[in-house]
Amino acid sequence: MKIYETRTAPNPRLVRMFLAEKGMSAEYIELDIAAGENLSAAMRAKNVTTKVPFLELDDGTVIGETAAICRYIEEIQSAPALMGNSPVEKAIIEMWRRRVEFGFFMPVGMCFQHSTGYFKDRMTPVAEFGAVSGKMALDFLNVINDQLATNEYVAGASFSIADITLLVAIDFARVMKIRIGDQHPHVQRWYEMVSSRKSAQA
Amino acid sequence: MKIYETRTAPNPRLVRMFLAEKGMSAEYIELDIAAGENLSAAMRAKNVTTKVPFLELDDGTVIGETAAICRYIEEIQSAPALMGNSPVEKAIIEMWRRRVEFGFFMPVGMCFQHSTGYFKDRMTPVAEFGAVSGKMALDFLNVINDQLATNEYVAGASFSIADITLLVAIDFARVMKIRIGDQHPHVQRWYEMVSSRKSAQA
């Protein structure tokens, strides 16, 4: 299978780390999103929303959206489970993944897009919203700190996609100077543990 | 099981419709989010992010986030499948659900929150971003129209959670005067078909 990606972006890293945890590999095709390589007619024909990464199976089927790519991988290679085993486990992991996405990853992305104007050729940056989003992301680290005070990992006792999601978002957030601080000792403990996994280098 | 919800909001409707398609029921507890009933200490102890709906199981386990609630329901009651059967089906449905969420449901929600100031006691509305979001949502209806030109349902040949997600978002979008237009005949065809399902009244 082929993965079209942009190596420095956080969602492609999430998928690479997810695959590495599964012990799986893929052929990677780099797209320069700053130069708009993902916006060409050929790429739009594969992936209408133009977001990276997207997965192309050997029969030509395209799976876009990071969560959908991870879902596919989890389904074809169940061990180690990164999205839970029982119905409750699956739901709790999904809940925390969504909380991390909506409370942190997305605001970090909005802060990036609206503060830096990186994609201003293809969207309308609103600087005030960028600032609001950055503050929202920083506030969410308090929620995560409380969760990690009594849980080893984001969604409980086991490493999961929720941890991968938070890790790539926290590392990406440094670009906007949104960082774990002294007020987040449990996030710091977790960050050191999860960053030291071999898959974090994928 | 109990579901804490706010009846007029789109995500609670999504869960009610999902349950109705499964032929399942739940005890519903209404929270007045405008009055901040979801923000009380008792509610925060159950559901730290304060979002509705959230599910409480008989053993006290709380599952927040609409996608996680639906995941749980799909796992305990697999038929009829609303999130796919094979790995590829599951991934394609997840992909379209995410596209609908990020391309339409979320921009509609941002338009609502930032244009109306409905939650201005608990967030910072940025009117300019609200306007940008509304335009983004309207543009996305063209993407969906193209998809529905060659597919009976949003994610292909079968009714799925992607259809429920789009339906509740389209109905909610009317509040911001974001509507299906003459330029979206395939969305119109789909809307009439999906709206007529009994579950749409749940």
Side-chain angles (χ1 to χ4, degrees):
Chain A
M1 58 192 185
K2 293 178 187 172
I3 294 177
Y4 294 77
E5 65 157 8
T6 301
R7 191 153 185 89
T8 53
N11 274 311
R13 184 183 173 210
L14 195 166
V15 169
R16 290 197 307 273
M17 191 169 170
F18 194 95
L19 272 172
E21 290 283 342
K22 296 283 190 182
M24 293 171 68
S25 61
E27 177 188 346
Y28 290 99
I29 295 146
E30 178 75 9
L31 295 177
D32 183 343
I33 52 174
E37 285 183 357
N38 56 320
L39 307 177
S40 70
M43 288 298 116
R44 281 184 197 273
K46 290 181 190 287
N47 180 42
V48 65
T49 53
T50 76
K51 305 284 175 62
V52 291
F54 64 90
L55 174 68
E56 188 175 40
L57 302 181
D58 293 347
D59 70 358
T61 300
V62 168
I63 299 168
E65 297 296 328
T66 294
I69 296 169
C70 293
R71 172 74 49 205
Y72 178 75
I73 296 165
E74 182 87 354
E75 291 287 329
I76 62 168
Q77 173 63 55
S78 58
L82 296 173
M83 301 169 89
N85 285 302
S86 72
V88 167
E89 271 177 28
K90 288 180 181 181
I92 297 290
I93 289 170
E94 182 86 6
M95 171 177 75
W96 279 103
R97 184 166 70 84
R98 300 286 283 198
R99 286 176 169 176
V100 168
E101 279 181 359
F102 290 126
F104 191 79
F105 198 167
M106 185 157 313
V108 163
M110 292 296 99
C111 180
F112 175 75
Q113 292 184 9
H114 288 273
S115 301
T116 68
Y118 191 81
F119 294 121
K120 68 178 183 295
D121 61 331
R122 65 200 84 162
M123 60 168 283
T124 307
V126 179
E128 185 187 356
F129 180 67
V132 165
S133 298
K135 185 175 179 313
M136 185 180 156
L138 195 59
D139 286 347
F140 185 79
L141 288 179
N142 298 325
V143 174
I144 284 291
N145 193 60
D146 288 346
Q147 169 69 0
L148 289 169
T150 52
N151 293 278
E152 186 164 8
Y153 294 99
V154 170
S158 301
F159 178 81
S160 76
I161 190 172
D163 297 288
I164 301 176
T165 305
L166 184 60
L167 181 71
V168 304
I170 284 181
D171 282 341
F172 180 55
R174 286 188 206 157
V175 176
M176 279 72 65
K177 304 197 191 319
I178 298 166
R179 292 191 177 95
I180 307 167
D182 291 342
Q183 71 276 38
H184 310 123
H186 306 296
V187 185
Q188 190 63 51
R189 183 267 307 160
W190 166 91
Y191 180 82
E192 288 168 12
M193 176 177 68
V194 173
S195 289
S196 68
R197 295 177 82 94
K198 186 158 177 263
S199 63
Q201 308 308 316
Chain B
M1 59 193 186
K2 293 178 187 170
I3 294 177
Y4 294 78
E5 65 157 7
T6 301
R7 191 151 185 93
T8 53
N11 274 311
R13 183 183 175 211
L14 195 165
V15 169
R16 289 197 308 273
M17 191 169 169
F18 194 94
L19 272 171
E21 289 283 342
K22 296 283 189 181
M24 294 171 67
S25 60
E27 177 187 348
Y28 290 99
I29 294 145
E30 178 74 10
L31 296 177
D32 183 343
I33 52 174
E37 285 182 358
N38 56 319
L39 307 177
S40 71
M43 287 300 117
R44 280 184 197 274
K46 290 182 191 286
N47 181 41
V48 65
T49 53
T50 76
K51 305 285 175 60
V52 291
F54 64 91
L55 174 68
E56 188 176 38
L57 303 181
D58 293 345
D59 70 358
T61 301
V62 169
I63 299 167
E65 296 296 328
T66 295
I69 296 169
C70 293
R71 171 74 49 204
Y72 177 76
I73 296 165
E74 182 86 355
E75 291 287 330
I76 63 168
Q77 175 61 54
S78 59
L82 296 173
M83 301 170 89
N85 286 301
S86 72
V88 167
E89 271 177 27
K90 289 180 180 180
I92 297 290
I93 289 170
E94 181 87 6
M95 171 177 75
W96 278 102
R97 185 167 68 86
R98 301 285 282 197
R99 285 175 170 175
V100 168
E101 280 181 359
F102 291 126
F104 190 79
F105 198 167
M106 185 159 313
V108 163
M110 293 295 99
C111 180
F112 176 74
Q113 292 185 8
H114 289 272
S115 301
T116 67
Y118 191 81
F119 294 122
K120 67 179 185 294
D121 60 331
R122 64 200 84 162
M123 61 167 285
T124 306
V126 179
E128 186 186 356
F129 180 66
V132 165
S133 298
K135 186 178 177 312
M136 185 179 157
L138 195 59
D139 286 348
F140 184 79
L141 288 180
N142 298 325
V143 174
I144 284 290
N145 193 61
D146 288 346
Q147 170 69 1
L148 289 169
T150 52
N151 293 278
E152 186 164 8
Y153 293 99
V154 170
S158 300
F159 178 79
S160 76
I161 191 172
D163 297 289
I164 300 176
T165 305
L166 184 60
L167 181 70
V168 304
I170 283 180
D171 282 341
F172 181 56
R174 287 188 206 157
V175 177
M176 278 73 65
K177 304 194 192 321
I178 298 165
R179 292 190 177 95
I180 307 167
D182 291 343
Q183 70 274 38
H184 310 123
H186 306 296
V187 185
Q188 190 64 50
R189 183 266 309 160
W190 166 91
Y191 179 83
E192 288 168 13
M193 176 176 66
V194 173
S195 290
S196 69
R197 295 177 82 93
K198 185 159 178 263
S199 63
Q201 308 307 318

